[in-house]
Amino acid sequence: MLHNDVFEELMNEEELARTVAEIAAKINADYEDKELVVIGVLKGSAIFVADLLRKITVDGVQLDFMQASSYGSSSVSSGQVRIVKDVSCNIKERHVLVVEDILDTGNTLSVIKEHLLSKGAASVRICTLFDKPGRRKKPVTADYTGKVIDDLFIVGYGLDYSERYRNLPYVGVLKSEIYS
Ligand code: IMP
Ligand code: MG
């Protein structure tokens, strides 16, 4: 049974698990024998990164978190992004993989990527569960993508609208009357 505020399901639990496993297989092949630090972007990626990390077999992989906040309403990100929580482990000369729930305008990830490179990371790649390329404002591309979607507002599996719906075990399209 779908939540009453959800218009339709976009990815069910089984599809999510399959998508996570497919992404992890690529990461495992690309980072074998490398010093990898996985950085989850709070809060939206919390559930995705927890599932993804358990499928990563790169020996010695580290996990850290960052949080960025953008000014503006909760469904529209503004251009100004600030880092409210920085990484706590040393990323100098390490290979960093930033894990996001969704790549939208690209404002958040362009700031995060630049910041991590300025701290001396050997490389910075982006892994996103969802991508809305139609809304991009910054030239950011993901290296690992779960699913490319149209300009829809989605919730569940960590993704929120106004801090709600993160607990849904599937990803669904939010009814437009909820946010308009
Ligand atoms: P960007 O900086 O515009 O790329 O925005 C990225 C952030 O906006 C994501 O990490 C999400 O928190 C939020 N966001 C963008 N689109 C959606 C959506 O469809 N559902 C939930 N959150 C979204
Ligand atoms: Mg969010």
Side-chain angles (χ1 to χ4, degrees), residues 52-99:
L52 184 69
L53 197 77
R54 282 178 285 182
K55 298 279 179 213
I56 290 182
T57 54
V58 179
D59 193 35
V61 61
Q62 294 186 29
L63 174 66
D64 207 337
F65 293 95
M66 280 185 77
Q67 188 164 17
S69 97
S70 75
Y71 302 92
S73 78
S74 48
S75 66
V76 188
S77 110
S78 72
Q80 293 160 289
V81 174
R82 84 197 148 94
I83 291 160
V84 294
K85 191 229 169 286
D86 200 353
V87 286
S88 52
C89 70
N90 182 17
I91 58 160
K92 206 167 167 59
E93 281 153 39
R94 303 235 162 88
H95 295 279
V96 170
L97 181 66
V98 181
V99 177

Side-chain angles (χ1 to χ4, degrees), residues 5-74:
D5 298 346
V6 170
F7 170 65
E8 65 179 0
E9 194 173 69
L10 185 74
M11 225 190 248
N12 65 29
E13 287 188 66
E14 201 187 311
E15 291 164 335
L16 282 163
R18 202 184 319 131
T19 302
V20 170
E22 283 168 6
I23 294 174
K26 291 183 190 144
I27 293 168
N28 289 335
D30 291 352
Y31 289 93
E32 200 187 356
D33 302 324
K34 291 215 169 77
E35 284 191 287
L36 173 62
V37 182
V38 170
I39 298 177
V41 182
L42 295 171
K43 302 174 194 171
S45 79
I47 294 170
F48 174 41
V49 79
D51 283 346
L52 184 69
L53 197 77
R54 282 178 285 182
K55 298 279 179 213
I56 290 182
T57 54
V58 179
D59 193 35
V61 61
Q62 294 186 29
L63 174 66
D64 207 337
F65 293 95
M66 280 185 77
Q67 188 164 17
S69 97
S70 75
Y71 302 92
S73 78
S74 48

